[in-house]
Amino acid sequence: MLPAIETQGLTRRFGQHVAVDAISMTVPERSIYGFLGRNGAGKTTAIKLLLGLLQPDAGQARIAGIDLTSDRLGAARKVGALLEAQGFYPHLSGQQNLDLTRRLLGLPKSEIERVLEVAEMTAHGRRRVADYSLGMRQRLGLARAMLGAPPVLILDEPTNGLDPEGIADMRGFLRDLPARSGATVLLSSHLLGEIEQVATHIGILSHGRLVLEGALADLKAGMANEVAIETDMPERAVLIAREHGFDVEQTHDALVARFAPREDARSAAAALNRVLCVAGIRIHVLAPRQRTLEILYRNAARAAEPAALA
Amino acid sequence: MTGTTPMPHATPARFATALAVEAYKLRRSLALLLAAVAPLLIAVFVFFNLMRFEKATPWTMTLYSSAAIWAFFMLPMSVTALTALVAHTEHGPRTLDHLRALPLPRWHLYAAKAVCVLGVVAAMSLLLAMLTLFVVELAGWLKPAVAASGTPDIAGYLALLGRIFLAAWLLVAVQLWIALRYASFVPALAVGIGGTFFAVVATTAKIGAFLPWQIPVNQLATDPARAQLALTLGGIGGCIVFAAMLWQLSRREVLD
């Protein structure tokens, strides 16, 4: 089975700045791939490379098996995109905006009704886009991306600017999308909580490099078990624990002890507790931490910091 | 790929479709309003100018002055504003990324825009001709003393406007290229206003024969060689600049 999107060593520089640094990513078919990274990490540049809007300095990208460099039009036929700047003509209605793209794609008129229905925008199709709320524009953008039922959807920050209710709506919509349309979704965002609730796979971008990629469930299963410790002597606790070979770190809100994924976390936590108590350190709380995308992301990003690499 | 739906009945992109889409975008746009207002302003001026006289003015003179106002000032200013407005249709809502990501040759997008703008300028020329003929008749009907004398050389007048239109291709190409290249209104307006200004203040300068904003008005020159040179420069130069525009814009990366 061909991956929906595959890149090898994809690189793009702007002068001396390497915006996308030798990214090799694989987006499995029918997955929802969360493309994560903070602002400026290179997500939008990578997406523009995947859409053929920018030329790579090195590497290649394939969309549904079609090489983007040698056959841009062929690859573009496989993709629908929602870009950060939605790009609608405000003086025209939602339907008319969709109709312009439909004509350029050479699709039948019935496609407009279909995508409006999928995006739950049928009731608003005749209104001018200038009168749309931001959430409605995002939905119209999704409808436009789905014109022609492309097998790959690339959505750049689709929840940007939405209120909490709009974000919840969008989340539900995106979660159902592969089942409803059969499409693979590449979803860029910096909202970890949102990605965690919809993504089946993730790729984490930091300083232009892809530092982690895989199925979210597998990555979480492979995470170290973490235990949060609250004590009134955190610095001493760190020293004692490290002397006894424990991996302990002081974060902004607590001490965090990490145990290897295959380690018996309960026994290890009990052993750490015993060591600290024997050293006279009072433990107020010792609680397991959930394996969250946030922790996964933080660990990956921290490991990829330039200082850590040096 | 399995489990995915192919595009239903998708047909290859044709240039005619891109052109139809461009024309569709003009609906309810300021560009279309400008296309109607600019010739109307000249017609209004011609009407009131005739009405202030007490005796008849020859048809030839009235039609010539209408074409002169058009070529000298209103055409370069209208082209400046029209190209900026047409380009802003894409720059304003930032639609270029969306359009350029679609599976169609990018030159189609820009060529369709160029043909559309040329079509609007041609329509403005025709509208000017119709409105001028109408207001001259209207003035004569309202005030018989100023009814135009002689017979109108409509074919000659239309041929003159046609030559002015062809000579304006270079002007249209330069202005459209700048308007599409820069997202801001400022470069296109600055160049257009500056070009028109120099065309007006340096009417008799020899170099004016090569200034895109003055080339259309050279169709009214008494020296046939200058008029012919202007037509050649405007028409052929326009085609060359349009081709260069398509080549450059199609390859350009939109970074904003």
Side-chain angles (χ1 to χ4, degrees), chain A residues 12 98 121 154 186 309-310:
Chain A
R12 173 64 199 224
L98 293 178
M121 282 290 291
I154 295 180
L186 184 143
L309 292 170

Side-chain angles (χ1 to χ4, degrees), chain A residues 1-2 4 12 14 29-30 48 51-55 64 72-73 76-77 83 85 87-93 96 99-101 103-108 111 128 144 147-149 151 181-182 184, chain B residues 1-14 17-18 20-22 24-29 89-90 93-106 109 252-256:
Chain A
M1 190 163 61
L2 283 172
R12 173 64 199 224
F14 295 107
E29 192 186 0
R30 282 197 163 210
K48 286 192 168 188
L51 293 173
L53 294 171
L54 295 177
Q55 290 297 313
R72 182 188 78 80
L73 296 184
R77 279 188 199 100
L83 298 167
F88 292 113
Y89 303 103
H91 62 290
L92 301 177
S93 71
Q96 288 171 329
D99 195 38
L100 293 179
T101 305
R103 289 187 193 200
L104 290 172
L105 293 173
L107 297 168
E111 266 297 278
R128 284 193 329 154
R144 186 171 62 185
L147 276 170
S181 66
T184 302
Chain B
M1 290 174 63
T2 57
T4 53
T5 317
M7 276 200 181
H9 316 297
T11 54
R14 289 177 306 141
T17 310
V21 164
E22 275 310 314
Y24 192 95
K25 284 182 204 167
L26 287 175
R27 283 176 167 197
R28 291 189 283 184
S29 70
T89 311
E90 312 301 345
R94 296 175 66 191
T95 51
L96 279 176
D97 266 353
H98 162 68
L99 291 172
R100 292 167 60 92
L102 293 176
L104 70 157
R106 286 175 181 152
L109 302 171
R252 183 175 169 262
E253 292 179 335
V254 181
L255 299 174
D256 51 333

Side-chain angles (χ1 to χ4, degrees), chain B residues 99-218:
Chain B
L99 291 172
R100 292 167 60 92
L102 293 176
L104 70 157
R106 286 175 181 152
W107 71 266
H108 278 197
L109 302 171
Y110 298 108
K113 224 168 250 306
V115 172
C116 208
V117 168
L118 285 175
V120 171
V121 176
M124 288 166 86
S125 307
L126 271 177
L127 186 61
L128 173 69
M130 290 192 293
L131 288 172
T132 302
L133 292 169
F134 172 73
V135 296
V136 174
E137 292 288 359
L138 182 67
W141 183 71
L142 291 173
K143 193 175 173 183
V146 299
S149 60
T151 50
D153 177 11
I154 295 174
Y157 178 51
L158 288 176
L160 176 61
L161 288 178
R163 285 200 305 276
I164 290 171
F165 166 68
L166 281 178
W169 280 32
L170 180 58
L171 161 65
V172 174
V174 169
Q175 285 296 145
L176 185 62
W177 191 349
I178 296 169
L180 287 171
R181 169 61 183 80
Y182 298 99
S184 164
F185 269 131
V186 178
L189 291 185
V191 170
I193 292 168
T196 308
F197 171 75
F198 281 108
V200 170
V201 297
T203 315
T204 53
K206 282 183 181 172
I207 194 81
F210 303 96
L211 189 64
W213 297 265
Q214 202 179 328
I215 285 175
V217 83
N218 284 333

